[in-house]
PDB file of all heavy atoms in Angstrom:
ATOM      1  N   LYS A1116     -52.983 172.600 -83.100  1.00 91.00           N
ATOM      2  CA  LYS A1116     -52.843 173.163 -81.754  1.00 91.00           C
ATOM      3  C   LYS A1116     -54.213 173.307 -81.085  1.00 91.00           C
ATOM      4  O   LYS A1116     -55.244 173.303 -81.760  1.00 91.00           O
ATOM      5  CB  LYS A1116     -52.068 174.476 -81.784  1.00 91.00           C
ATOM      6  CG  LYS A1116     -52.728 175.618 -82.478  1.00 91.00           C
ATOM      7  CD  LYS A1116     -51.816 176.831 -82.457  1.00 91.00           C
ATOM      8  CE  LYS A1116     -52.659 178.061 -82.723  1.00 91.00           C
ATOM      9  NZ  LYS A1116     -52.099 179.278 -82.269  1.00 91.00           N
ATOM     10  N   PRO A1117     -54.221 173.411 -79.768  1.00 93.00           N
ATOM     11  CA  PRO A1117     -55.494 173.509 -79.041  1.00 93.00           C
ATOM     12  C   PRO A1117     -56.369 174.668 -79.519  1.00 93.00           C
ATOM     13  O   PRO A1117     -55.862 175.699 -79.949  1.00 93.00           O
ATOM     14  CB  PRO A1117     -55.040 173.737 -77.590  1.00 93.00           C
ATOM     15  CG  PRO A1117     -53.693 173.097 -77.518  1.00 93.00           C
ATOM     16  CD  PRO A1117     -53.066 173.361 -78.859  1.00 93.00           C
ATOM     17  N   TYR A1118     -57.683 174.469 -79.417  1.00 92.00           N
ATOM     18  CA  TYR A1118     -58.657 175.510 -79.725  1.00 92.00           C
ATOM     19  C   TYR A1118     -59.132 176.083 -78.390  1.00 92.00           C
ATOM     20  O   TYR A1118     -59.604 175.330 -77.529  1.00 92.00           O
ATOM     21  CB  TYR A1118     -59.833 174.924 -80.516  1.00 92.00           C
ATOM     22  CG  TYR A1118     -60.770 175.963 -81.068  1.00 92.00           C
ATOM     23  CD1 TYR A1118     -60.458 176.650 -82.242  1.00 92.00           C
ATOM     24  CD2 TYR A1118     -61.969 176.268 -80.441  1.00 92.00           C
ATOM     25  CE1 TYR A1118     -61.320 177.606 -82.771  1.00 92.00           C
ATOM     26  CE2 TYR A1118     -62.829 177.224 -80.952  1.00 92.00           C
ATOM     27  CZ  TYR A1118     -62.503 177.887 -82.121  1.00 92.00           C
ATOM     28  OH  TYR A1118     -63.361 178.834 -82.636  1.00 92.00           O
ATOM     29  N   VAL A1119     -58.977 177.388 -78.209  1.00 93.00           N
ATOM     30  CA  VAL A1119     -59.247 178.022 -76.915  1.00 93.00           C
ATOM     31  C   VAL A1119     -60.479 178.917 -77.013  1.00 93.00           C
ATOM     32  O   VAL A1119     -60.541 179.811 -77.850  1.00 93.00           O
ATOM     33  CB  VAL A1119     -58.025 178.858 -76.447  1.00 93.00           C
ATOM     34  CG1 VAL A1119     -58.282 179.437 -75.056  1.00 93.00           C
ATOM     35  CG2 VAL A1119     -56.753 178.025 -76.459  1.00 93.00           C
ATOM     36  N   ILE A1120     -61.451 178.649 -76.143  1.00 91.00           N
ATOM     37  CA  ILE A1120     -62.700 179.404 -76.097  1.00 91.00           C
ATOM     38  C   ILE A1120     -62.801 180.077 -74.727  1.00 91.00           C
ATOM     39  O   ILE A1120     -62.570 179.431 -73.707  1.00 91.00           O
ATOM     40  CB  ILE A1120     -63.917 178.463 -76.280  1.00 91.00           C
ATOM     41  CG1 ILE A1120     -63.841 177.725 -77.623  1.00 91.00           C
ATOM     42  CG2 ILE A1120     -65.230 179.242 -76.157  1.00 91.00           C
ATOM     43  CD1 ILE A1120     -64.857 176.595 -77.752  1.00 91.00           C
ATOM     44  N   MET A1121     -63.151 181.355 -74.720  1.00 93.00           N
ATOM     45  CA  MET A1121     -63.378 182.081 -73.467  1.00 93.00           C
ATOM     46  C   MET A1121     -64.857 182.387 -73.321  1.00 93.00           C
ATOM     47  O   MET A1121     -65.453 183.034 -74.188  1.00 93.00           O
ATOM     48  CB  MET A1121     -62.586 183.393 -73.466  1.00 93.00           C
ATOM     49  CG  MET A1121     -62.948 184.355 -72.334  1.00 93.00           C
ATOM     50  SD  MET A1121     -62.521 183.773 -70.680  1.00 93.00           S
ATOM     51  CE  MET A1121     -60.800 184.295 -70.606  1.00 93.00           C
ATOM     52  N   LEU A1122     -65.458 181.894 -72.228  1.00 90.00           N
ATOM     53  CA  LEU A1122     -66.827 182.249 -71.874  1.00 90.00           C
ATOM     54  C   LEU A1122     -66.727 183.312 -70.784  1.00 90.00           C
ATOM     55  O   LEU A1122     -66.101 183.056 -69.750  1.00 90.00           O
ATOM     56  CB  LEU A1122     -67.586 181.030 -71.337  1.00 90.00           C
ATOM     57  CG  LEU A1122     -67.588 179.765 -72.205  1.00 90.00           C
ATOM     58  CD1 LEU A1122     -68.369 178.650 -71.520  1.00 90.00           C
ATOM     59  CD2 LEU A1122     -68.150 180.050 -73.584  1.00 90.00           C
ATOM     60  N   TYR A1123     -67.300 184.486 -71.013  1.00 92.00           N
ATOM     61  CA  TYR A1123     -67.144 185.548 -70.023  1.00 92.00           C
ATOM     62  C   TYR A1123     -68.438 186.301 -69.771  1.00 92.00           C
ATOM     63  O   TYR A1123     -69.344 186.300 -70.603  1.00 92.00           O
ATOM     64  CB  TYR A1123     -66.021 186.512 -70.437  1.00 92.00           C
ATOM     65  CG  TYR A1123     -66.314 187.371 -71.651  1.00 92.00           C
ATOM     66  CD1 TYR A1123     -66.680 188.701 -71.502  1.00 92.00           C
ATOM     67  CD2 TYR A1123     -66.219 186.859 -72.936  1.00 92.00           C
ATOM     68  CE1 TYR A1123     -66.950 189.495 -72.605  1.00 92.00           C
ATOM     69  CE2 TYR A1123     -66.482 187.648 -74.046  1.00 92.00           C
ATOM     70  CZ  TYR A1123     -66.851 188.962 -73.880  1.00 92.00           C
ATOM     71  OH  TYR A1123     -67.126 189.744 -74.967  1.00 92.00           O
ATOM     72  N   GLY A1124     -68.524 186.925 -68.613  1.00 89.00           N
ATOM     73  CA  GLY A1124     -69.697 187.675 -68.182  1.00 89.00           C
ATOM     74  C   GLY A1124     -69.845 187.511 -66.682  1.00 89.00           C
ATOM     75  O   GLY A1124     -69.025 186.864 -66.036  1.00 89.00           O
ATOM     76  N   ASN A1125     -70.896 188.110 -66.131  1.00 85.00           N
ATOM     77  CA  ASN A1125     -71.115 188.047 -64.684  1.00 85.00           C
ATOM     78  C   ASN A1125     -71.199 186.601 -64.190  1.00 85.00           C
ATOM     79  O   ASN A1125     -71.463 185.678 -64.971  1.00 85.00           O
ATOM     80  CB  ASN A1125     -72.395 188.796 -64.308  1.00 85.00           C
ATOM     81  CG  ASN A1125     -72.153 190.287 -64.200  1.00 85.00           C
ATOM     82  OD1 ASN A1125     -71.113 190.710 -63.693  1.00 85.00           O
ATOM     83  ND2 ASN A1125     -73.092 191.084 -64.681  1.00 85.00           N
ATOM     84  N   SER A1126     -71.014 186.427 -62.890  1.00 80.00           N
ATOM     85  CA  SER A1126     -71.097 185.070 -62.327  1.00 80.00           C
ATOM     86  C   SER A1126     -72.556 184.617 -62.280  1.00 80.00           C
ATOM     87  O   SER A1126     -73.478 185.433 -62.354  1.00 80.00           O
ATOM     88  CB  SER A1126     -70.464 185.020 -60.945  1.00 80.00           C
ATOM     89  OG  SER A1126     -71.199 185.817 -60.056  1.00 80.00           O
ATOM     90  N   SER A1127     -72.751 183.304 -62.205  1.00 74.00           N
ATOM     91  CA  SER A1127     -74.072 182.671 -62.065  1.00 74.00           C
ATOM     92  C   SER A1127     -74.981 182.825 -63.276  1.00 74.00           C
ATOM     93  O   SER A1127     -76.197 182.865 -63.148  1.00 74.00           O
ATOM     94  CB  SER A1127     -74.794 183.201 -60.811  1.00 74.00           C
ATOM     95  OG  SER A1127     -73.987 182.997 -59.686  1.00 74.00           O
TER      96      SER A1127
END
Side-chain angles (χ1 to χ4, degrees):
K1116 66 182 199 158
Y1118 189 80
V1119 184
I1120 301 169
M1121 169 67 85
L1122 307 179
Y1123 69 102
N1125 278 320
S1126 65
S1127 304

